[in-house]
């Protein structure tokens, strides 16, 4: 069973920075997993923030491109999200997601979520 544990959230002022980390346990071949960060603000649907594939290809939503950077450390089974130039609208619960290819399709795992609050 795969478990994902996020850390690094908290409160930052607008224009500031935070760094989120997600460490995986269980499973194997972390390097093959597609990892992602999602977020969900109150009253809104969960939305994709950034993804990083096994080949280190990255993708970002337009609302964070140029401000956030996703990275991965396969040896530590860790994916990180560096968040710079934070805005109040970045306030949300952030979730780590792992997508693992199987013989029949994909298995998806989520972390428990971590709060990020940006004050103006």
């Amino acid at each position: 069973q795969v478990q994902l544990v996020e850390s690094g959230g908290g409160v930052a002022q607008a224009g500031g920075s935070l760094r989120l980390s997600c460490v995986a346990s269980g499973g194997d071949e972390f390097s093959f997993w597609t990892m992602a960060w999602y977020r969900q603000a109150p009253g809104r649907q969960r939305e994709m923030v950034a993804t990083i594939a096994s080949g280190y290809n990255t993708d970002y939503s337009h609302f964070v491109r140029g401000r956030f950077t996703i990275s991965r450390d396969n040896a530590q089974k860790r994916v990180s999200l560096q968040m710079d130039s934070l805005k109040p609208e970045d306030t949300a619960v952030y979730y780590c997601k792992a997508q693992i290819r199987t013989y029949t399709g994909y298995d998806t795992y989520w972390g428990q979520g971590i709060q990020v609050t940006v004050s103006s």
Side-chain angles (χ1 to χ4, degrees):
Q1 184 71 13
V2 172
Q3 290 188 323
L4 304 173
V5 179
E6 299 104 336
S7 62
V11 180
Q13 289 191 332
S17 298
L18 285 172
R19 185 176 180 87
L20 303 182
S21 289
C22 169
V23 176
S25 61
D28 55 13
E29 300 296 343
F30 176 84
S31 62
F32 292 163
W33 303 357
T34 294
M35 302 298 297
W37 287 97
Y38 280 66
R39 71 186 186 187
Q40 187 167 18
R44 301 190 65 174
Q45 289 188 334
R46 192 173 297 188
E47 58 188 6
M48 189 274 286
V49 174
T51 66
I52 184 165
S54 59
Y56 292 89
N57 291 334
T58 59
D59 189 26
Y60 297 91
S61 291
H62 67 90
F63 45 78
V64 303
R65 190 172 291 121
R67 300 188 297 121
F68 291 10
T69 303
I70 189 170
S71 60
R72 65 190 297 159
D73 183 332
N74 290 334
Q76 295 190 357
K77 302 182 76 171
R78 179 191 303 270
V79 62
S80 299
L81 185 69
Q82 178 66 39
M83 304 186 294
D84 298 319
S85 302
L86 284 163
K87 303 176 181 180
E89 51 263 43
D90 294 320
T91 295
V93 177
Y94 283 71
Y95 296 89
C96 178
K97 173 188 171 184
Q99 189 174 43
I100 304 172
R101 191 164 186 173
T102 68
Y103 290 109
T104 57
Y106 292 91
D107 287 340
T108 299
Y109 299 90
W110 294 91
Q112 80 284 356
I114 193 163
Q115 179 69 46
V116 170
T117 302
V118 183
S119 61
S120 58

